[in-house]
Amino acid sequence: MSIFEYNGSAIVAMGGKKCVAIAADKRFGIQLGMISTKAQKIYKLHDKLYIGLAGLATDMQTLKQLLEFRLNLYKLREEREISPEVFANLVSTMAYERRFGPYFISPVIAGLDENGDPFVDSQDTIGAGTEGQEPWVAAGTTTEQLFGMCEALYQPDLEPEELFETVSQVLLTSADRDCLAGWGADVYVITEKGVTHRELK
C-alpha cells in the first residue's frame, strides 16, 4: 500500500460563476481501520482562500503549521492578504524545497482572485501544479473517481447554489466507491459576499 493511501482522503475543488467550491470527506483512518469521522482536511487561510490537504495525516498537520507561519510573515511584510496565485507558488516552492525528503501530501487550493474570478490548483508531492488546465481539481485516494464525476456533472458558469449541489454530488458519489474515504463531507462555497460552509452526512 502506498504511503499516500495510509490515511485515505477525497478532496475536490471546482470553479463557478464568480464563485468557487472546495469539499473534502471526513474519514480519518489507518489503512482499512476507522479512527474518526470528524477529520478536518480543509483549512481557511483568509476569507477568499482555502486549502485542502490529502495524504499522510502527520505531514498535513506539519504543512498546515508551516503555511500559517509563512502567511503571517507575508501579511506582516506586504500588509495585505495573499492572492491565490501567489499562494499556489508559495506552496509549490515549499514542496520543491523538500523534493529529496518530501511531504507525502497533495494540496488542493481554491480561492477568488482580486477580480472575483475562481482559482483552483492541485499539486503533487514536489509542487508541480495543474493551474488553468481544468475548472476543477481533485486529490486523494479517490482522484480517479472524482475526475470521472467532474467530467460528467460539470457545467460552465454555475451559480453558488448549483455549484454546491454539483460538488456535493461529485464528492459523495465518488467516495462511495472508495473504502478509504467518505463518512460525510465538509463543503465550502466561496463568493465575493462571503463563505458558506455545509456539513454533509
Side-chain angles (χ1 to χ4, degrees), residues 101-116:
Y103 298 113
F104 296 113
I105 53 110
S106 298
V108 171
I109 299 159
L112 295 177
D113 64 19
E114 56 274 5
N115 300 318

Side-chain angles (χ1 to χ4, degrees), residues 119-170:
F119 176 92
V120 292
D121 185 28
S122 177
Q123 299 177 6
D124 66 5
T125 313
I126 59 167
T130 61
E131 175 196 345
Q133 294 180 13
E134 295 286 354
W136 65 79
V137 292
T141 52
T142 320
T143 304
E144 290 85 1
Q145 293 91 331
L146 289 167
F147 267 101
M149 289 303 299
C150 284
E151 288 170 354
L153 298 180
Y154 174 79
Q155 294 175 342
D157 295 329
L158 290 167
E159 295 293 336
E161 199 58 36
E162 297 170 321
L163 186 62
F164 165 75
E165 291 291 339
T166 303
V167 166
S168 301
Q169 200 61 249
V170 164

Side-chain angles (χ1 to χ4, degrees), residues 35-52:
I35 294 175
S36 170
T37 59
K38 297 179 182 176
Q40 183 183 3
K41 299 177 186 178
I42 299 174
Y43 304 100
K44 176 182 177 178
L45 304 168
H46 61 74
D47 289 340
K48 294 185 179 177
L49 182 61
Y50 282 70
I51 186 169

